[in-house]
Amino acid sequence: MIQATLHQLRVFEATARNGSFTKAAEELMIRQPTVSSQVKQLTQAIGLPLFEQMGKQLYLTQAGEELLATCQEIFDRLDHLEMKVADLKGMRQGRLRLAVVTTAKYFIPRILGQFCQEYPDIDIALQVTNHRKLTQRMRNNLDDLYILSQPPEDVDLVAQPFLENPLVLVARRDHPWAKRRSIPITELNDQPFIMRELGSGTRQAVQDLLNRCKVKVKVRLELGSNEAIKQAIAGGLGISILSKHSLSPVELKSEYTLLNVQHLPIQRRWYAVYLSGKQLSVIADAFLHYLLEMPSEEGMIA
Ligand code: PGA
């Protein structure tokens, strides 16, 4: 019988998923030598190497692959048990694991706050990341629910729309086009533009529109955060297309203006998503229904 602790299995799973001891240590909030020693003890217990190291990157051996699949089964079963126990106790408590794309961070915490008034004893893990990283989390089955605007087509999902997510063209308040109406989109040709990073869902939607309209903007700056883009616009570095939810009504009145360019806003929606076949915990199911039953006016989250 292999002697391994649950902690060692968790450390191994995080190391395998991240391909790195350092990243696993960051994720688990423990020290890197602890990760290495836990993996070493587990390797001794299994009796075969679990990883091969090439440069800084770790690769799983065949034994490692087998162990990873077993770990994932064990953790799934444990989650399931936790959920059943919460059900049996009839208690409104447990952990809600939520992962959202960057723009959703402007409204999801507020909705969570309202939700927690009804479920004060729940424990929430909220991950905020870009579209590409979020879909990786989905493929690894790391969370209960995901919030994003473009559910991937190659993952078997249940996706339910709940709110509009317009992408608008944002400029500094004193932009020379501020008072113009119905500006042809071709005028964006060669405009200094601030773009989100590769892997961003916003960037993909913007690029699709520009390609469709055969417009080539001059990308002056590429930034990995909506907040940084807002600062760059305010600093006069260019214009950008962002989710309207990333701007507060006060910011819209004082610092920025939305340019009236044809084909904008890009109309998108927010989706609450979970993996098909995933058995949602009582609390995840309650939060999903809370989202879906929310009034859909923008005012709710502006
Ligand atoms: P992003 O995604 O944060 O990766 O740009 C936003 C979205 O999918 O709407």
Side-chain angles (χ1 to χ4, degrees):
M1 180 79 177
I2 295 168
Q3 297 291 328
T5 66
L6 205 51
H7 179 58
Q8 285 168 349
L9 295 180
R10 289 221 187 268
V11 170
F12 164 77
E13 192 273 338
T15 310
R17 188 163 30 77
N18 287 294
S20 143
F21 292 124
T22 313
K23 287 191 191 142
E26 277 166 20
E27 180 182 309
L28 299 171
M29 292 193 277
I30 56 179
R31 293 171 55 246
Q32 199 258 354
T34 313
V35 173
S36 316
S37 87
Q38 293 294 308
V39 170
K40 195 166 165 203
Q41 285 170 31
L42 189 58
T43 308
Q44 280 161 359
I46 301 278
L48 281 173
L50 301 172
F51 293 107
E52 282 165 352
Q53 181 141 19
M54 315 268 185
K56 284 199 167 162
Q57 186 69 27
L58 291 175
Y59 295 92
L60 283 172
T61 60
Q62 203 181 337
E65 297 273 9
E66 292 292 337
L67 181 61
L68 180 61
T70 309
C71 284
Q72 281 160 347
E73 270 171 43
I74 293 173
F75 298 148
D76 260 6
R77 299 295 298 260
L78 283 174
D79 278 351
H80 196 69
L81 174 70
E82 206 173 306
M83 195 173 87
K84 287 274 174 229
V85 170
D87 271 358
L88 288 171
K89 288 182 182 166
M91 288 191 313
R92 296 176 141 211
Q93 64 182 41
R95 171 166 269 234
L96 173 62
R97 289 170 310 179
L98 200 59
V100 308
V101 285
T102 61
T103 323
K105 77 167 182 206
Y106 292 98
F107 64 92
I108 286 292
R110 206 176 314 178
I111 296 175
L112 278 170
Q114 295 157 5
F115 179 71
C116 285
Q117 289 180 355
E118 280 180 43
Y119 295 85
D121 295 324
I122 62 166
D123 182 17
I124 297 167
L126 175 65
Q127 298 288 331
V128 180
T129 185
N130 76 11
H131 178 89
R132 183 182 290 167
K133 292 193 182 134
L134 190 89
T135 54
Q136 274 161 8
R137 294 187 68 84
M138 254 180 214
R139 287 178 225 281
N140 289 320
N141 185 20
L142 292 185
D143 311 279
D144 299 318
L145 290 174
Y146 304 86
I147 311 286
L148 77 173
S149 291
Q150 181 90 47
E153 284 172 8
D154 59 341
V155 186
D156 201 4
L157 300 171
V158 179
Q160 313 202 43
F162 65 99
L163 277 176
E164 304 297 326
N165 177 23
L167 301 189
V168 290
L169 185 47
V170 189
R172 199 162 81 166
R173 226 175 150 63
D174 59 0
H175 193 279
W177 295 357
K179 298 234 155 52
R180 285 183 65 191
R181 304 206 158 269
S182 197
I183 305 162
I185 193 162
T186 44
E187 290 200 26
L188 290 180
N189 268 318
D190 296 324
Q191 270 291 314
F193 201 86
I194 307 162
M195 194 66 108
R196 280 283 305 275
E197 78 289 1
L198 260 180
S200 143
T202 309
R203 175 183 176 134
Q204 188 60 50
V206 170
Q207 205 59 65
D208 288 348
L209 173 72
L210 297 178
N211 291 348
R212 255 196 333 272
C213 298
K214 302 195 172 36
V215 169
K216 207 160 167 41
V217 291
K218 197 159 60 194
V219 178
R220 188 161 193 196
L221 204 60
E222 205 178 285
L223 293 171
S225 107
N226 300 315
E227 279 309 303
I229 292 186
K230 282 162 57 183
Q231 292 305 320
I233 297 173
L237 285 171
I239 55 177
S240 188
I241 298 179
L242 294 174
S243 167
K244 197 169 175 197
H245 297 149
S246 60
L247 299 156
S248 71
V250 176
E251 286 174 327
L252 264 176
K253 275 207 188 99
S254 55
E255 270 193 277
Y256 304 100
T257 183
L258 302 186
L259 297 180
N260 256 312
V261 169
Q262 287 168 359
H263 302 284
L264 283 152
I266 303 174
Q267 298 297 354
R268 304 179 91 208
R269 306 198 75 176
W270 288 115
Y271 288 86
V273 169
Y274 59 92
L275 296 177
S276 305
K278 172 113 185 157
Q279 191 138 24
L280 288 184
S281 64
V282 184
I283 213 70
D285 192 53
F287 186 64
L288 176 65
H289 282 93
Y290 192 82
L291 282 180
L292 300 180
E293 281 157 21
M294 259 181 13
S296 60
E297 310 92 68
E298 264 188 68
M300 263 305 292
I301 55 175

